[in-house]
Amino acid sequence: MLLADKVRFPRDKPCGGGLTGRALRHVPCDVEPVVERVVDRMVVRARYGATVDRTSSEPLIAMTQRRRLDLHLAEHAAGAGADFRDGTGVSDIRLDDSGVSAQVGESRVRAAVVVGADGANGLVARAAGLGDGIVRGVALEGNVPWTALAESRYESAAWVELGVVPGGYGWVFPKGDHANLGVGGWMAAGPYLRDHLERLARAHGVDPTLLTDVRGHRLPMRELGAPAARDRVLLVGDAAGLVDPLSGDGMYEAFVSSKLAAEAILGETGEYEARLSAALDRHAAASWKAKRAADRYPCACLWALRAPGVFDAVAGLLRGELSHPSDASRLAQPPFRLLSRLARHAT
C-alpha cells in the first residue's frame, strides 16, 4: 500500500483537535501518547448569556493537535507495512477498466484502487467526477497561551457558544500549553468570521491581538445519499464530505469511513457506499436536524440541555454509547422531540 501526502510531516492541519469517545472506539492504534488534555466537562452558552455547565462521570473528549496525531497515525501505518511518502505530490489521476494510475512525485504508479483521503479540497474527488451533494461551511481558529486565560477554568472543559455565528458555533478547547479558540458556520459567514472570532476572544477575556496561528478552513458536510465512490475510487473523511453537520467534527467519520474502505478493498469495492450509509446516515440525519434547531433556537437547545436525562444522553452520544438520540432514556425523549419539531420549523 502506498500512502502519499504532498506536505512533509509533521504538518499542521486546521482542526479543533477533539477526539470524542465514539471516535476513540474506531481509532486504529493507541493515541494516548499524543493526547494533551482530557475533557469531562461541557459549558454551553446561548448568545454569550445563559449557561449550562455539566460535568460527566467519565471522559468525553481527548484533546490533541493534528500535527501530532497525524504523524502518529502515519508512523503506525508505515510500521504496519505502508509505503509512506510525505512531501510527495499526487497528480494526473487516470481511471481505466483495469485500475487507476497517477503521477506520485517523480514516479508513475498503478493500483487497483485509489482512496481519496485528501481533504475538503482534494484532487481525487475531482479526478473521479465526485463531490456533488456536499454543503460547505467555513471555520476560523487561533491559539492563545494559558497566560491569556485562567487555565483552571478551562483545562478540562469544552466551551461551546451557540447562536453566535449563523449555521454554527464558537468554541474554546484546551490543549497542552495553550487553548484553541474558533468559530464556524455557513460559508456565507466567511467574510465575518474574523469579527466573530474577535468577539469570542473578548467574551472569554482574551485580547484578540494575542491570537496566533489564525487560519481558516472549509467544512464539507455530505447530504444524505451523496456519492462517495465511483468505480475504483473511494472517498473517505473530509474528501467525502463526512463532517458532522452539528459539531463540525470529522474524526469519527474519518476513522469509520477509512476502516470501511479498507474492508471494501479486501472484499467488494461496490459495497462501500451502502456500508458507509448504513454506518453514518442515521446519526447524520439527526445532526442535520439538531443543527437547524441550534441555529434558529439556541435558547431552546439550552433549555433542553437542562432537562433531566438530556446531558447524559449527549454524553452517551459523544462517548459512542448511544448511536442516536432515540436511544436515550425516556426522560430525555420529550426535549429531543421538541427540538425535532423546532428543526422542521427552521427549514
Side-chain angles (χ1 to χ4, degrees), residues 33-291:
V34 296
V35 171
E36 298 184 354
R37 300 274 177 169
V38 175
V39 165
D40 62 3
R41 176 171 158 242
M42 290 192 68
V43 184
V44 184
R45 292 198 294 189
R47 301 192 173 110
Y48 296 122
T51 305
V52 172
D53 187 337
R54 297 285 186 270
T55 299
S56 171
S57 59
E58 298 180 44
L60 299 172
I61 307 170
M63 291 293 176
T64 185
Q65 297 181 66
R66 291 297 296 272
R67 66 184 304 274
R68 299 185 65 195
L69 174 66
D70 291 1
L71 176 61
H72 183 71
L73 294 173
E75 288 174 341
H76 273 267
D83 177 5
F84 175 47
R85 303 183 195 177
D86 59 339
T88 305
V90 177
S91 61
D92 192 25
I93 298 173
R94 301 180 187 180
L95 286 72
D96 56 47
D97 293 340
S98 61
V100 184
S101 67
Q103 190 69 27
V104 181
E106 300 299 320
S107 305
R108 191 75 194 173
V109 174
R110 282 198 62 82
V113 180
V114 62
V115 177
D118 47 350
N121 306 308
L123 169 69
V124 176
R126 294 196 302 272
L130 296 168
D132 292 338
I134 294 178
V135 178
R136 308 285 178 178
V138 63
L140 185 70
E141 64 177 83
N143 299 320
V144 294
W146 283 119
T147 53
L149 281 170
E151 184 173 355
S152 61
R153 190 182 181 204
Y154 292 88
E155 63 182 347
S156 64
W159 286 68
V160 176
E161 306 283 1
L162 299 179
V164 300
V165 184
Y169 65 94
W171 70 84
V172 179
F173 293 159
K175 301 302 177 71
D177 60 359
H178 67 276
N180 178 257
L181 282 67
V183 289
W186 299 122
M187 185 64 78
Y192 314 102
L193 283 187
R194 188 166 292 275
D195 291 339
H196 286 304
L197 182 59
E198 290 181 359
R199 186 183 178 199
L200 172 76
R202 292 192 183 98
H204 288 269
V206 173
D207 180 349
T209 64
L210 297 177
L211 287 163
T212 62
D213 305 311
V214 176
R215 58 209 165 174
H217 53 103
R218 294 202 293 174
L219 301 170
M221 298 168 285
R222 174 178 175 262
E223 295 178 330
L224 301 185
R230 178 190 171 195
D231 299 328
R232 297 175 180 272
V233 177
L234 311 179
L235 301 181
V236 300
D238 284 10
L242 299 178
V243 166
D244 186 283
L246 176 63
S247 69
D249 170 42
M251 299 277 211
Y252 164 75
E253 289 81 0
F255 293 142
V256 169
S257 59
S258 297
K259 182 180 179 181
L260 292 175
E263 292 173 351
I265 291 169
L266 294 174
E268 293 291 335
T269 56
E271 296 177 358
Y272 174 66
E273 282 189 299
R275 297 192 65 191
L276 186 71
S277 291
L280 299 179
D281 281 7
R282 185 168 178 250
H283 183 92
S287 286
W288 277 113
K289 287 183 180 179
K291 180 180 181 68

